[in-house]
Amino acid sequence: MAPATGVSRPGWRGTVLLASGFLSVLLGGCELRDSGSAAPRLTQPPIVVAPAPAPKVAVEVPARTSEPKPARIALLAPMTGPRARLGRSLLNAAELALFETAGSELELRVYDTRGVPDGARTVAREAIADGVRIILGPVFGTSAEAVRPIASAADVSVISFSNDRTIAGDGLYVLGVLPEQQVDRVVRLAAQDGRTSLGVLAPHGKFGRTVTETAQRTAEQVGLSVTRVQGYDPQEADLEAVVREFAEYDRRKQALADERSLLASRTDPVSRAALHRLRLMETFGAPPFDAVLLPTGGRHLRTVAALLAYYDVDPSHVQFIGTSLWGGTEGLGTEPSLRGGWFTAVSPEHRGRFHQRFTALFETEPQEIASQGYDAMLLAVTLAGADGNGTFSHEVLTDPVGFAGVDGLFRLLPDGSNQRGLAVMEVGDRTVTVLDPAPERFDQGQL
C-alpha cells in the first residue's frame, strides 16, 4: 500500500488521508440532539480554526492489549469519471456535517464507485472487509442494487442517494426525494383548492409511468377525476403536436366553428350578441381539466407550458402543477404561463443555510443532491452516539419520529423508502415563494 498523505483542511480537527483507493476522514466528536417527541435537530457551532497542537512530550504509558477503534462509516460515490464533480460535492457535504458536530470518534472512508455498478460492487466488498458499520451511497439506483446483496450478507445497512423506491428493501434505504411523494403532495393541494379534474402530460419511461400512476391513485383518494393522460418522447425537440392533442385544441376549435355557424343562422338579439362575443375566441368550451401535472423541468417545462397557453389552455383558469424538477429550471419566473404555477420542494429555509455554509467553506456551489450527503452523514453521526458505539439497526434507522436535516423533515420507512416533509412553492414574476410550508413533524399514525 502506498503511504498515506496528510492534507490539512482549514478549521478541521482532523486530517484527510488519501490511501489505497479511498479517502479517510477521522474526526473526534459528534454532539447531536435530544430526540424527545419531535424530530432531532442539529446544533451548529460557528466555524473556527483549531489551534496548532502542543509539542509532543515523550512519556511512558502502561501497555494495553488493544486500541479503541472509531466507528467506520463508508461513503460510496463517483470520485473519478464523468460524475466526479457530484462525488466531490457529496464528500464535501459529508465533511461539513462531520465538522459541524462534535463528540464521538468516527472515521469516514470514501470509496470511488466511478459511477458504475461494477465499481460500486467492487468497493462495497472493500468497505465490508474494512469493517464499516454503515454505507452511505451509492448515488445511482443500478449501483445501489449491485451493492445491496453484498451489504445484506454482511448485515450492513445502505442509505442510497437514489430516489427509486423499487430498489429499496433488504437493508437498502433510499434517501432521495421520491417522485411519488412529490406528486401526491401537490395533487392533494390542488384538490384542496377546489380543482375537480386533472390532466397529466408526462415523459415516456419509468419515471413518467411512476408519476402518472401516483397521480391517478391520489386523485381517486381525494375525489379528483383524471380526465386526460398523455405521454411524450423526452428526446423529441418539437412537442407542438403532442401539446395540441393533449389540449384537445382541434375539437374545441371545431366546437367554436359549429357554435358560430349556429348563432349566425339566428336573427334574434340574444344570438347576435352571443355571436359578437365569440369573435375574439379561438376555441369554444374549457379544456378537459382544470389542473394539469407537468412533471418535467428545464427546456421541456418552458416549452410545454408556453405551448399549452398557445393552444388555449389558460393558466389563469387551469392550475399548472409540478415536481421539484421545476426548481432547477433556469428562468422559471420569466415564462408567463408558469407564473402562478405550483411545485413541490424540500424546505427552502434549511437548504438555503446549508448552501451558504457549504459555499463559504469550499468556495464552490454544492451540487443539487449534496444536501443529501450532509443529511446522510448527520444521520450516521446521530446514530453512532457520543461514544461511537451506537447501533445502525433497522429499528433505529426507521424511528417513526424521523429526523430534521438541511432538506427538512424526513424518516426512513420499514420498506426502505422514505417520507419527507415537503413544501409547495408558487412561481411569481421572477420569484418563487412558499405557498404551503413543509410540516415540522410527522403524524405518528400515518406511514
Side-chain angles (χ1 to χ4, degrees):
M1 178 184 295
T5 304
V7 182
S8 298
R9 303 294 290 271
W12 280 80
R13 300 172 56 195
T15 301
V16 181
L17 301 179
L18 175 60
S20 186
F22 63 79
L23 293 168
S24 177
V25 181
L26 179 61
L27 194 69
C30 306
E31 174 186 326
L32 265 221
R33 66 340 173 229
D34 177 14
S35 62
S37 61
R41 294 185 180 274
L42 170 67
T43 300
Q44 296 159 353
I47 295 176
V48 296
V49 178
K56 294 183 178 179
V57 179
V59 295
E60 290 188 14
V61 296
R64 53 185 178 183
T65 57
S66 63
E67 292 288 334
K69 295 182 179 180
R72 290 180 175 176
I73 299 170
L75 173 64
L76 272 59
M79 304 308 296
T80 59
R83 305 308 297 271
R85 185 182 174 194
L86 174 59
R88 171 55 62 179
S89 198
L90 284 166
L91 172 58
N92 286 346
E95 290 178 342
L96 181 61
L98 278 173
F99 175 72
E100 293 186 336
T101 57
S104 67
E105 293 293 329
L106 292 177
E107 184 179 346
L108 172 62
R109 295 195 169 198
V110 183
Y111 300 81
D112 180 15
T113 66
R114 307 191 313 277
V116 295
D118 284 345
R121 189 179 294 110
T122 298
V123 296
R125 293 192 181 99
E126 293 179 13
I128 297 298
D130 288 339
V132 302
R133 295 178 55 198
I134 190 169
I135 293 174
L136 312 181
V139 176
F140 308 110
T142 52
S143 293
E145 283 188 295
V147 166
R148 180 174 57 196
I150 298 168
S152 179
D155 197 25
V156 173
S157 295
V158 179
I159 301 179
S160 167
F161 303 121
S162 170
N163 67 349
D164 182 358
R165 70 183 303 157
T166 65
I167 68 170
D170 198 22
L172 171 65
Y173 302 88
V174 291
L175 191 61
V177 184
L178 302 179
E180 295 94 332
Q181 189 181 355
Q182 297 181 55
V183 171
D184 181 85
R185 174 79 162 96
V186 74
V187 169
R188 287 181 183 276
L189 189 62
Q192 292 172 19
D193 189 56
R195 307 293 163 168
T196 59
S197 54
L198 178 69
V200 181
L201 182 58
H204 291 311
K206 183 177 181 179
F207 173 76
R209 290 193 300 272
T210 296
V211 298
T212 299
E213 290 169 1
T214 303
Q216 291 171 324
R217 183 168 56 251
T218 301
E220 182 178 0
Q221 293 171 359
V222 297
L224 273 173
S225 298
V226 178
T227 53
R228 196 81 170 91
V229 174
Q230 188 161 335
Y232 63 88
D233 182 355
Q235 303 302 320
E236 178 62 52
D238 186 2
L239 297 175
E240 186 169 351
V242 171
V243 175
R244 182 174 184 146
E245 180 182 357
F246 177 75
E248 297 188 1
Y249 177 80
D250 292 336
R251 176 190 63 77
R252 294 187 294 132
K253 190 174 181 63
Q254 183 60 50
L256 176 64
D258 294 343
E259 185 68 13
R260 282 175 173 167
S261 178
L262 176 62
L263 293 173
S265 68
R266 298 173 177 173
T267 58
D268 61 278
V270 174
S271 297
R272 290 298 181 183
L275 181 61
H276 180 74
R277 288 194 298 271
L278 295 180
R279 72 189 191 285
L280 298 179
M281 295 178 62
E282 292 186 38
T283 60
F284 186 74
F289 41 76
D290 58 12
V292 58
L293 175 63
L294 305 175
T296 187
R299 178 180 60 84
H300 269 114
L301 175 62
R302 295 195 305 271
T303 298
V304 168
L307 284 171
L308 282 169
Y310 181 77
Y311 285 114
D312 215 22
V313 177
D314 187 350
S316 65
H317 294 99
V318 176
Q319 182 62 56
F320 288 16
I321 60 177
T323 66
S324 61
L325 292 174
W326 283 32
T329 299
E330 185 177 354
L332 180 64
T334 63
E335 170 53 53
S337 56
L338 287 173
R339 292 172 193 162
W342 304 342
F343 67 96
T344 48
V346 297
S347 173
E349 178 186 0
H350 302 294
R351 174 70 76 88
R353 289 199 293 265
F354 163 75
H355 188 280
Q356 291 173 356
R357 298 196 308 273
F358 186 103
T359 304
L361 185 61
F362 300 109
E363 298 181 344
T364 185
E365 298 279 325
Q367 295 282 290
E368 177 63 25
I369 69 168
S371 55
Q372 293 177 27
Y374 183 102
D375 282 353
M377 190 68 242
L378 185 61
L379 176 60
V381 169
T382 304
L383 301 184
D387 58 2
N389 291 322
T391 177
F392 299 99
S393 68
H394 176 77
E395 291 74 21
V396 172
L397 284 168
T398 58
D399 183 345
V401 171
F403 305 89
V406 296
D407 277 343
L409 192 64
F410 73 95
R411 60 181 172 186
L412 301 176
L413 301 183
D415 65 359
S417 63
N418 71 72
Q419 186 177 15
R420 289 184 175 273
L422 297 176
V424 175
M425 313 299 291
E426 183 171 35
V427 181
D429 184 3
R430 302 176 187 272
T431 63
V432 175
T433 57
V434 177
L435 174 69
D436 195 39
E440 295 185 355
R441 66 178 59 206
F442 290 114
D443 177 358
Q444 294 278 332
Q446 184 178 357
L447 288 176

